[in-house]
Structures are given as structure tokens and as C-alpha cells.
Amino acid sequence: MTKNQTLITAAGGNGTAIEILDQALTRQEYESRGKALESDFAADGVEQAGFLIPSDRHFEMAGGEFCGNATRSAAVALYKGYRESSLSFTVSGFAGTVNASVKLLTEKTFFVEATFPEMVAKMKSAKLRDDTPVSIVDLGGIVHVVIEGEFPKDEKTYTAAHRQIVDQFGLHERDAVGVVWFQREPNGAVVIHPVVWVRAVDTFYYESSCGSGTIAVGRVTGSSSIVQPTGKSISAEITESGVNLSSEMEVVC
């Protein structure tokens, strides 16, 4: 099996470590190798890991979840392998076929747009135990609880908040659960702070950028451009026919 590893970021953050494989693995193997892959790139700021099987045109996250940024990272890896600017492939956590376009900007940077046909961002309103209003946005392979308000920057505080929310809404068995705080800036910008837990590999990160969190907050606010913790933006267009996600990407190592 060929070992080919790379780390790719989206909008300046959310590093995805990708290993390119000759053939698919079992779910248990994805999980164990994913943990090893994250360890390999720990010093480079990896936040998630996944596996690209070019022969199957499939990308699988270590935890089997859906990840918008990792999907677009996989598109970059496919582009580098095949030099195709328009690509179609499948990903974990999404039942359809992804259509992606990759535009080369510099030797290591790209503008990547991915379309998820018929993706439905189901949304419902709820309240936390302290009566704080929230929106729960379900993308299938990940669910986000979206909160308008100040982000608790202390790690202990946001970790406890995430766990309490998972408990309250019974989300323990979901593939991945995000809690995304957002604020509206005076200039109209929407800024997010996403905290994401992936069940199968038990990873927990305050993510430096988040594609699925961008979709969720876009669904809640109606904004199509969302500012990430890095200060850079990811665009999400949500229509009746599906979801479109785009931003600059970079091959880090």
C-alpha cells in the first residue's frame, strides 16, 4: 500500500492530514490509522485526518464524519495527482457525489469550490438549560449547535459547555458534534468560533476554521461569507439544490 501523506489547510487553518491509499480500509483501520496520522502531523497543527482512495474516487474521514474543509483538501490532493481542475468524488458523511473545482493560485495555494448537491441543512430552534436560544443545524455526517454570543475563550469553559450541550440534546451517538459561537461585527461581518468533537476517534478541537460550521452559521444568519478564527473567510451558498463551499486552500507540507 503506497504511503503518501500531506497536510492541507483551509482559510489559513483547520489542517487536514491526508494519506493516499491504494485500496479502502476497514472502519477500525481508518480510526486507528487516523490517530497515527494526526500524531505524525501534530507539530504542524493538524486538526483532523482522512484517507483518499483515488481508484474509488472516495475520501473517508478517520471518524467517518462529514467535513467540508477536508472534502476540499481531498479535491486538492486529487488535483495534484491527476491535474484535473474539475473533479467528482464521494466523501464520508454525505450521501451524494461532490463536484469540485480547483484553481491554482501559486505553487502551494489554490482556490477550491465544492458543491454538495441536494445537501439539506436541517435547522430547528431550541433553548439551553439557562434559556439561551440556539439553532441546531443537522448536516447528516455532523450536527452543529449554533449560539449567537461571546465565545468562552477559556478551554475549560468551552469544553464544559460543549459536553453539557451534547448531554442536553442527546448527541452522544452522532458521528461528530460542533458547538459554534458567532458574533455579528459592526461592519456586518459574521465571525465564528467552532468547537468540534468526533466520536469514533475522540478528537476535540477549537478549530481554526470550519467548513461545516460555516454552512451551519450561514444557514442560521443568511450570510454567505463567514469569518473564521484565523481572520480569513469561507463562503457558503445554501440553495434549494444544495450547498456550495469555497475558499483558498494551502498545501502546508
Side-chain angles (χ1 to χ4, degrees):
M1 192 170 289
T2 303
K3 187 174 183 180
N4 186 351
Q5 298 178 348
T6 187
L7 182 70
I8 301 172
T9 61
N14 196 215
T16 301
I18 295 178
E19 184 170 344
I20 299 175
L21 304 175
D22 294 331
Q23 61 189 35
L25 304 177
T26 66
R27 171 92 316 263
Q28 185 176 9
E29 287 172 329
Y30 282 128
E31 292 168 11
S32 62
R33 287 177 70 123
K35 291 177 182 179
L37 192 55
E38 289 198 26
S39 178
D40 289 346
F41 285 95
D44 299 298
V46 66
E47 294 178 0
Q48 59 212 4
F51 300 88
L52 180 63
I53 307 96
S55 59
D56 295 339
R57 288 279 172 148
H58 180 71
F59 178 72
E60 185 78 15
M61 292 297 290
E65 76 277 19
F66 169 73
C67 179
N69 283 344
T71 295
R72 293 181 304 120
S73 296
V76 171
L78 280 169
Y79 170 85
K80 288 175 67 66
Y82 291 93
R83 292 299 168 180
E84 297 175 8
S85 58
S86 296
L87 302 151
S88 295
F89 55 101
T90 57
V91 298
S92 59
F94 175 61
T97 298
V98 180
N99 299 312
S101 65
V102 180
K103 180 181 179 181
L104 180 67
L105 300 178
T106 69
E107 182 182 354
K108 291 188 174 183
T109 61
F110 309 81
F111 186 83
V112 184
E113 183 176 2
T115 300
F116 304 92
E118 298 183 10
M119 173 179 276
V120 179
K122 299 177 183 177
M123 181 176 68
K124 66 178 181 180
S125 298
K127 286 188 176 182
L128 302 183
R129 292 190 178 107
D130 63 1
D131 283 337
T132 298
V134 300
S135 298
I136 301 175
V137 181
D138 194 338
L139 300 177
I142 188 168
V143 59
H144 287 286
V145 180
V146 179
I147 305 169
E148 182 170 9
E150 185 176 351
F151 175 59
K153 295 182 180 179
D154 175 76
E155 183 177 357
K156 183 177 180 180
T157 303
Y158 68 67
T159 300
H162 191 289
R163 288 175 177 168
Q164 289 170 5
I165 288 169
V166 169
D167 287 341
Q168 179 180 344
F169 296 115
L171 301 173
H172 301 89
E173 298 304 314
R174 296 302 300 264
D175 290 334
V177 181
V179 177
V180 187
W181 285 263
F182 78 91
Q183 297 87 38
R184 303 175 197 263
E185 299 294 302
N187 63 1
V190 175
V191 181
I192 65 169
H193 298 279
V195 178
V196 177
W197 168 67
V198 179
R199 177 174 55 85
V201 289
D202 197 26
T203 56
F204 186 87
Y205 288 105
Y206 165 40
E207 296 195 338
S208 48
S209 75
C210 184
S212 60
T214 294
I215 295 169
V217 174
R219 177 73 171 86
V220 172
T221 64
S223 177
S224 61
S225 182
I226 305 295
V227 181
Q228 310 298 307
T230 59
K232 297 185 178 182
S233 295
I234 296 176
S235 295
E237 296 181 7
I238 303 169
T239 68
E240 292 182 358
S241 60
V243 174
N244 183 283
L245 194 68
S246 62
S247 76
E248 287 191 10
M249 313 284 293
E250 181 179 5
V251 176
V252 177
C253 60

